[in-house]
């Protein structure tokens, strides 16, 4: 099937959805293509893996999102090739779609940096499938250990990468061990569990201030997380993690939060790849030499007005999607495109119950503890898609905070 649309958007993450919404409201015909039929809220995937919230709270069907906007059509399939020069894409069923403007917002995938065994034996956490798979493995390991309470061997959970994803995952697993495992499993099982956070960098949360780093490290240690910095991972085996300094940590659960790279689809797109396999874009978010082709979010290397590369954050993706929509509409109606202006909202990371770190705005107003936790809740509530998702997540967080229970079923299969 060959079809022509005013705008084709590849990828339904923050950037793609934001662009589609803005364009649809302006009366522009949009075709949104994604291999899934739902939008996923990536920043909360670690909470799905640790049963703090459910799958339905971080996912929403695209057709439900756009059912009132008849200018946006949704096509569920995997894009197998991109012809940037022709502004067209081809999907796995052989369909080709051509547009006046092409938006590539394909997101990112785990970057294993060619670490032996990492892809085979670790659990990345960048998709809903990843989250349910990890959640299934965590429960399966605890179930098996619970059937043999006298074994006495430590159960090590290793998180590789001490950025926000790694810190939040380590904190969530540690709190499950501290508060949930004793009430759900045999006495003594929690005492066998160990959470290790490792990174080749000298500290955690490299983009944050020293004060935030110190607070986060202290809070994690208080919850039982063992920190190991300054030594990279050289190998991951089925039953162990090997570090560059010779340390070996026996473990059957290794979470990979060690970095991102652009999706493989960009390699054969004809677009010029830069750092991390991402596409370097012009200030107006178009690709140099490819008029009418926009690359957004985690698939792009976007710079601010000072020429500094913007981080791979949901806020960057969301704002770049809305800005690209404005430029696309201007291009279709004879107007001029404008350079992307990013509103810097800062950084934040959840550390544990009632504890977070936040550095807000360009001036990086620093918050730690309960105030940062409240700010974290407010921002994530605002970013969640759909009233039902927001309400359900809020109820789950309240139940978790007040009762230490886990009512959500893990749907993933271990392994």
């Amino acid at each position: 099937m060959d079809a022509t649309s005013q705008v084709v958007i590849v990828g339904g993450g923050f950037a793609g959805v934001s662009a589609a919404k803005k364009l649809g409201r302006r009366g522009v015909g949009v075709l949104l293509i994604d291999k899934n039929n739902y939008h996923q809220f990536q920043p909360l995937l670690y909470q799905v893996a640790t049963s703090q919230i459910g799958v339905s709270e971080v996912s929403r069907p695209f057709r439900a999102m756009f059912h009132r906007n008849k200018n946006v059509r949704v096509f569920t399939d995997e894009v197998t090739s991109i012809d940037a020069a022709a502004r067209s894409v081809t999907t796995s069923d052989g369909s080709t779609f051509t547009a006046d403007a092409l938006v590539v917002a394909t997101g990112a995938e785990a970057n294993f940096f060619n670490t032996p065994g990492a892809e085979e034996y670790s659990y990345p956490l960048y998709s809903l499938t990843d989250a349910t798979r990890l959640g299934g493995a965590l429960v399966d390991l605890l179930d098996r250990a619970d059937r043999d309470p006298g074994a006495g061997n430590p159960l090590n959970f290793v998180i590789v990468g001490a950025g926000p994803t790694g810190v939040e995952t380590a904190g969530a697993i540690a709190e499950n061990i501290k508060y949930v495992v004793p009430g759900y499993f045999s006495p003594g099982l929690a005492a066998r569990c160990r959470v290790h956070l490792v990174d080749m960098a000298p500290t955690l949360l490299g983009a944050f201030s020293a004060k935030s780093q110190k607070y986060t490290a202290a809070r994690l240690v208080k919850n039982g997380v063992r920190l190991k910095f300054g030594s990279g991972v050289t190998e991951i085996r089925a039953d162990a993690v090997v570090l560059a300094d010779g340390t070996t940590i026996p473990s059957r659960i290794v979470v990979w939060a060690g970095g991102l790279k652009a999706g493989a689809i960009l390699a054969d797109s004809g677009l010029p790849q830069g750092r991390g396999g991402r596409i370097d874009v012009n200030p107006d978010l178009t690709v140099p030499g490819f008029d009418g082709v926009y690359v957004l979010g985690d698939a792009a290397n976007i710079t601010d007005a000072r020429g500094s590369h913007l981080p791979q954050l949901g806020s960057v993706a969301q704002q770049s999607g809305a800005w690209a929509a404005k430029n696309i509409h201007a291009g279709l109606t004879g107007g001029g495109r404008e350079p992307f202006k990013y509103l810097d909202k800062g950084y934040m990371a959840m550390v544990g119950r009632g504890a977070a770190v936040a550095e807000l705005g360009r001036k990086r107003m620093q918050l730690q503890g309960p105030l940062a936790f409240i700010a974290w809740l407010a921002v994530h509530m605002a970013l969640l898609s759909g009233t039902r998702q927001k309400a359900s997540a809020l109820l789950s967080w309240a139940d978790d905070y007040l009762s230490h229970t886990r009512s959500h079923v893990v749907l993933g299969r271990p392994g």
Side-chain angles (χ1 to χ4, degrees):
M1 178 178 67
D2 294 337
T4 301
S5 298
Q6 282 183 279
V7 181
V8 168
I9 298 175
V10 183
F14 285 124
V17 165
S18 179
K21 285 182 176 179
K22 293 289 185 181
L23 287 167
R25 289 170 186 163
R26 290 173 178 257
V28 177
V30 176
L31 176 64
L32 176 67
I33 306 175
D34 195 284
K35 64 181 179 180
N36 301 310
N37 64 1
Y38 55 86
H39 169 73
Q40 59 187 9
F41 190 80
Q42 193 177 42
L44 292 180
L45 292 177
Y46 78 95
Q47 293 200 2
V48 175
T50 53
S51 302
Q52 295 179 58
I53 58 177
V55 170
S56 62
E57 288 153 41
V58 298
S59 61
R60 188 182 180 197
F62 289 124
R63 289 180 175 83
M65 298 177 74
F66 296 108
H67 77 282
R68 292 181 180 175
N69 193 331
K70 303 307 179 183
N71 294 313
V72 179
R73 295 187 299 129
V74 176
F75 192 83
T76 305
D77 203 346
E78 184 171 6
V79 171
T80 55
S81 66
I82 297 173
D83 185 341
R87 295 193 296 272
S88 70
V89 299
T90 301
T91 56
S92 63
D93 69 350
S95 298
T96 299
F97 301 93
T98 305
D100 298 314
L102 173 63
V103 176
V104 180
T106 47
E109 60 187 40
N111 190 347
F112 297 107
F113 299 102
N114 298 315
T115 305
E119 189 168 1
E120 293 84 356
Y121 299 120
S122 70
Y123 293 83
L125 199 50
Y126 301 111
S127 72
L128 197 52
T129 300
D130 290 340
T132 55
R133 178 172 170 262
L134 172 59
L138 289 168
V139 172
D140 182 65
L141 182 62
L142 291 170
D143 280 340
R144 291 174 184 273
D146 194 45
R147 294 198 296 268
D148 189 16
N153 294 324
L155 296 177
N156 292 311
F157 305 88
V158 180
I159 293 86
V160 179
T165 298
V167 163
E168 292 181 331
T169 304
I173 294 176
E175 292 214 330
N176 271 5
I177 292 168
K178 184 176 181 179
Y179 296 111
V180 180
V181 170
Y184 282 70
F185 296 92
S186 299
L189 180 59
R192 294 171 52 194
C193 296
R194 308 280 190 274
V195 180
H196 303 260
L197 180 62
V198 304
D199 199 306
M200 66 184 298
T203 186
L204 45 67
L205 297 180
F208 287 69
S209 68
K211 182 179 179 181
S212 293
Q213 293 170 350
K214 183 179 179 180
Y215 173 88
T216 301
R219 183 76 187 203
L220 289 174
V221 169
K222 182 179 179 181
N223 283 337
V225 179
R226 302 181 178 204
L227 307 179
K228 176 70 173 177
F229 300 140
S231 185
V233 175
T234 58
E235 183 183 5
I236 296 179
R237 303 170 184 166
D239 59 354
V241 175
V242 182
L243 304 182
D245 65 1
T247 301
T248 298
I249 306 173
S251 179
R252 295 189 177 277
I253 298 288
V254 180
V255 181
W256 188 270
L260 296 172
K261 64 179 180 179
I265 184 66
L266 294 181
D268 300 319
S269 65
L271 297 170
Q273 291 183 272
R275 186 181 63 172
R278 295 180 288 271
I279 308 302
D280 294 327
V281 296
N282 293 317
D284 64 2
L285 303 175
T286 59
V287 181
F290 294 88
D291 189 52
V293 177
Y294 295 76
V295 183
L296 311 175
D298 289 348
N301 287 320
I302 304 174
T303 56
D304 60 17
R306 298 173 296 179
S308 301
H309 281 93
L310 295 175
Q312 273 63 56
L313 294 175
S315 59
V316 175
Q318 193 172 57
Q319 290 183 45
S320 68
W323 198 277
K326 183 173 68 171
N327 280 343
I328 290 170
H329 183 262
L332 293 174
T333 56
R337 298 192 290 250
E338 297 181 6
F340 176 47
K341 295 179 182 177
Y342 174 59
L343 176 60
D344 190 346
K345 297 181 179 179
Y347 306 99
M348 56 179 54
M350 174 75 78
V351 185
R353 290 170 55 82
V357 288
E359 299 187 1
L360 306 177
R362 184 177 291 278
K363 294 185 178 180
R364 297 292 185 263
M365 182 179 69
Q366 296 183 28
L367 299 175
Q368 290 90 31
L371 285 178
F373 177 73
I374 292 171
W376 184 95
L377 286 176
V379 168
H380 286 72
M381 280 289 291
L383 287 173
L384 277 169
S385 176
T387 302
R388 191 184 66 78
Q389 281 77 13
K390 295 176 191 287
S392 184
L394 186 60
L395 287 173
S396 292
W397 287 328
D399 182 56
D400 171 44
Y401 193 85
L402 295 172
S403 68
H404 296 299
T405 60
R406 292 290 184 268
S407 59
H408 295 285
V409 177
V410 177
L411 300 177
R413 298 176 63 85

